[in-house]
Amino acid sequence: MSTYEDRLKALRAQLVRDRLDGFVVPLTDEHMSEYVGAYAQRLAWLTGFQGSAGSAVVLREQAAIFTDGRYTLQVREQVDGAHWAYESVPQTSIADWLGVHAPSGGRIGYDPWLHTSAWVKAASAALAKKGATLVAVDTNPIDAVWPDRPAPSAARLVVHEDRFAGRSAADKRQAIADWLVETGADAAVLSALDSIAWAFNIRGKDVDRTPVALAYAIIHADATADLYVAPEKMDDAVAQHLGNAVRVSNGVNFAAALGDFAGKTVVADPERAVAAIFDALETGGATVLPLRDPAVLPKAIKNAVEIAGHKAAQARDGTALSRFLHWVSVEALKGGLTEMSAADRLEAFRKETGLLEDLSFDTISGAGPNGAVVHYRVEDKTNRPIESGTLYLVDSGGQYRDGTTDVTRTLAIGTPTREMQERFTLVLKGHVALARAVFPVGTRGGQLDVLARQYLWAQGLDYAHGTGHGVGSFLSVHEGPQRIATFGGGDEPLQAGMILSNEPGYYKTGAYGIRIENLVLVEERAVPGAEKPMLGFETLTFAPIDRALIATDLLSAEEQAWIDGYHAQVLDVVGPQLEGDALAWLKAACAPLTAG
């Protein structure tokens, strides 16, 4: 089908055949993943939207696509407004929209393997007010009209060695089993791919940019486990690693196995396990405990080996990024440099480390107005030259066996305007305020978010994304449950060992974008005279912040001292790995601000 209009027509024709008046299309897979394999990219195939979060509803006569503030510009560039209404979340939910637009008495289809039970309940309630019904489909209608839909990946599992994990898989599963006994449960279903990867110390190549494998798992209270995975993904090394306590079954058997828990109590995560899992357990006679996946929190709290590995990955990655920043400083003003060529060169610098497994996400390489598109992804038709007098925003990261990185730098190409400097410095002040924060144990990320926004707010400015997300250990670059945000999360107490991003920003539509991102480690902090245990952040990312964009007259003495101290650390960590012109550039880039 050559056009997105043709695809929309084909879906509507299929809905008629399926006796449906509408269908809901989320951007997720059977594991509620943020990033999904090519086979699950139904939203992109149907609409053209290339963002990493969104959903759509198709009715017989109208359709709408739902995205958050990160994609306000992108969705309008990629999705045809002649056929799709643009809706913003959380202001408007799919359930709310259906409650208004669904036809009275209509049948609205959904795939129960792509939605949570909570979503099904909310959407059903909204439709009931219109006399409409939410209908679970056995076969996704998009799959029926997607002629060249890719098959799920057949890549093999790989062992994540204890020297990187810092803890054996048997020990992790025993801890989960002990928790099950304390909870009074017989088993726990793990459907989140990163939880399975963590609990079994395995990795995969089934999802671009995230080293996970398509699988399901059930861990039992006796510390045995069942792993459901396609047979072709196994080999002798993985089988030996898993051992006799892990029974391996074909992935197609998972749904039926959920019916074997009659009279037993099973834990399933209401945020991470899809409605079909809950339905199968309940239909089979199990008592379902809707509790958080028991791998989520221990996965987020990194052990000493993981922390050491992450620091090694950051030093390596920071060197590659610093080499790139030096390269841009030489090449940009010559002309001919583009967003795409710059992103390719940055990936090449990372590959030259010899240890890069993959990027941790598609590089956001945004010049001028494209930098104002928060989750911009360059493609041929949007590829802009990086020109003098503009800002260039590059948000990138790498997947290494010992750690996952994520870093953003904003660069002045040529001489920046005073406005650019002022707004960059407001963002920097917020970044520094969060980096310097000291807070009591029990503090939630949402309580810290204002620290990064306060200087922008004072000038009537803001940004439409969270300030910080969790980061995995050779796993997902966006990892819960910890976040620094006042919306969409941020309620998890921060604990020592968690890794998060610190990334305030500012975006002027049609002009430029600014973001400054480092990763930070939550650590215990000794405070003289403290009456309760305190925490703080250790900055883990090391790469220069563009001094040309810093308005020093807007900085306090404490802020300037932090920036100078940070740049001294960058020089200590990265300097020994550079030489020649690159080292000379780094020394100048890391000079104290008072040095001019």
Side-chain angles (χ1 to χ4, degrees):
M1 296 179 192
S2 59
T3 70
Y4 293 111
E5 182 180 3
D6 291 338
R7 296 174 184 184
L8 184 58
K9 289 179 180 177
L11 176 58
R12 284 182 166 139
Q14 184 64 37
L15 295 183
V16 172
R17 290 190 288 272
D18 293 341
R19 295 186 302 110
L20 296 171
D21 298 290
F23 189 71
V24 181
V25 187
L27 200 175
T28 190
D29 59 12
E30 301 87 344
H31 310 273
M32 298 306 295
S33 305
E34 178 184 16
Y35 298 113
V36 302
Y39 80 97
Q41 290 280 359
R42 297 177 179 93
L43 184 68
W45 178 84
L46 179 66
T47 69
F49 178 62
Q50 300 296 319
S52 62
S55 54
V57 179
V58 176
L59 301 179
R60 295 282 183 90
E61 301 296 334
Q62 55 187 318
I65 185 164
F66 299 75
T67 59
D68 62 35
R70 295 171 295 173
Y71 302 105
T72 301
L73 300 179
Q74 183 175 343
V75 71
R76 285 163 173 77
E77 292 173 352
Q78 296 176 338
V79 180
D80 189 349
H83 304 292
W84 297 88
Y86 307 119
E87 298 290 343
S88 298
V89 294
Q91 293 90 337
T92 303
S93 70
I94 288 178
D96 293 338
W97 192 89
L98 284 171
V100 174
H101 297 280
S104 178
R107 289 164 44 87
I108 306 301
Y110 77 100
D111 187 334
W113 286 95
L114 300 178
H115 297 275
T116 65
S117 294
W119 181 90
V120 172
K121 183 178 180 180
S124 296
L127 286 169
K129 296 176 182 178
K130 294 289 291 285
T133 306
L134 193 65
V135 179
V137 300
D138 294 325
T139 301
N140 195 304
I142 291 181
D143 299 350
V145 298
W146 186 352
D148 53 352
R149 179 177 170 233
S153 165
R156 291 193 170 188
L157 302 175
V158 295
V159 176
H160 188 57
E161 300 172 46
D162 289 1
R163 65 190 179 101
F164 297 123
R167 186 180 178 191
S168 72
D171 180 53
K172 293 176 180 179
R173 294 195 299 272
Q174 183 63 59
I176 292 173
D178 292 344
W179 176 82
L180 287 170
V181 171
E182 293 173 5
T183 306
D186 298 291
V189 174
L190 301 188
S191 57
L193 299 182
D194 58 342
S195 289
I196 295 168
W198 179 87
F200 292 84
N201 280 355
I202 53 175
R203 298 294 188 267
K205 296 184 178 181
D206 291 348
V207 178
D208 288 346
R209 313 312 194 195
T210 306
V212 294
L214 296 173
Y216 294 98
I218 301 173
I219 297 180
H220 301 269
D222 63 359
T224 65
D226 293 284
L227 182 65
Y228 296 88
V229 64
E232 63 268 21
K233 304 178 79 62
M234 291 290 297
D235 62 20
D236 291 342
V238 173
Q240 183 176 358
H241 161 74
L242 292 173
N244 295 330
V246 179
R247 297 172 290 271
V248 180
S249 302
N250 193 316
V252 299
N253 299 328
F254 172 68
L258 296 173
D260 296 337
F261 288 91
K264 295 186 178 181
T265 301
V266 181
V267 171
D269 189 328
E271 292 185 16
R272 296 169 179 83
V274 295
I277 291 175
F278 280 83
D279 293 344
L281 287 169
E282 291 167 355
T283 301
T287 298
V288 183
L289 289 182
L291 301 175
R292 186 160 69 188
D293 172 341
V296 167
L297 189 58
K299 173 167 56 66
I301 301 172
K302 308 301 185 282
N303 60 48
V305 170
E306 290 173 316
I307 291 170
H310 190 92
K311 289 181 177 180
Q314 286 287 0
R316 180 185 318 123
D317 195 72
T319 300
L321 178 59
S322 294
R323 292 178 65 200
F324 170 76
L325 296 176
H326 166 245
W327 177 82
V328 171
S329 75
V330 173
E331 298 296 326
L333 294 180
K334 293 180 180 178
L337 192 60
T338 69
E339 296 169 338
M340 198 170 285
S341 65
D344 290 344
R345 191 67 188 94
L346 176 53
E347 183 174 1
F349 279 123
R350 285 193 165 101
K351 286 181 176 177
E352 287 170 14
T353 67
L355 294 174
L356 183 73
E357 296 288 331
D358 195 0
L359 300 182
S360 56
F361 55 97
D362 291 335
T363 297
I364 298 170
S365 177
N370 286 344
V373 181
V374 178
H375 274 202
Y376 172 71
R377 184 167 69 179
V378 60
E379 50 190 65
D380 288 337
K381 65 181 181 181
T382 66
N383 188 25
R384 291 181 63 90
I386 299 175
E387 298 174 315
S388 181
T390 65
L391 296 186
Y392 172 56
L393 185 153
V394 56
D395 184 349
S396 66
Q399 292 282 11
Y400 306 91
R401 292 276 178 175
D402 49 0
T404 299
T405 69
D406 182 4
V407 52
T408 308
R409 289 295 181 265
T410 305
L411 311 178
I413 308 302
T415 303
T417 66
R418 175 63 182 181
E419 179 190 276
M420 292 174 178
Q421 292 176 320
E422 288 176 347
R423 296 190 178 181
F424 181 91
T425 306
L426 294 176
V427 173
L428 178 58
K429 286 166 72 72
H431 180 97
V432 172
L434 186 58
R436 297 178 63 221
V438 178
F439 46 93
V441 169
T443 299
R444 277 107 169 121
Q447 294 173 273
L448 301 179
D449 188 68
V450 66
L451 295 177
R453 297 180 190 269
Q454 59 181 313
Y455 303 103
L456 288 164
W457 282 0
Q459 300 299 319
L461 308 173
D462 199 6
Y463 50 94
H465 58 77
T467 299
H469 57 82
V471 177
S473 181
F474 189 44
L475 270 177
S476 302
V477 73
H478 293 159
E479 178 181 86
Q482 71 275 25
R483 286 194 73 206
I484 300 174
T486 50
F487 53 88
D491 293 331
E492 184 69 27
L494 301 185
Q495 298 188 46
M498 289 179 169
I499 294 175
L500 301 103
S501 64
N502 172 2
E503 51 177 311
Y506 168 75
Y507 310 92
K508 185 173 182 178
T509 300
Y512 57 82
I514 294 166
R515 188 159 63 249
I516 305 168
E517 178 186 17
N518 289 338
L519 298 189
V520 296
L521 171 70
V522 183
E523 61 175 0
E524 296 178 355
R525 185 65 58 85
V527 177
E531 297 180 353
K532 57 177 63 179
M534 303 297 289
L535 300 171
F537 293 122
E538 176 187 354
T539 295
L540 300 172
T541 304
F542 294 105
I545 297 168
D546 191 350
R547 293 168 79 253
L549 281 167
I550 300 175
T552 55
D553 58 302
L554 300 182
L555 297 176
S556 68
E558 292 80 6
E559 290 165 341
Q560 184 166 320
W562 187 93
I563 296 165
D564 286 345
Y566 173 73
H567 276 146
Q569 287 181 292
V570 173
L571 195 56
D572 287 343
V573 171
V574 175
Q577 302 178 73
L578 298 181
E579 57 186 17
D581 291 344
L583 177 57
W585 170 87
L586 183 70
K587 289 178 178 179
C590 293
L593 294 176
T594 52

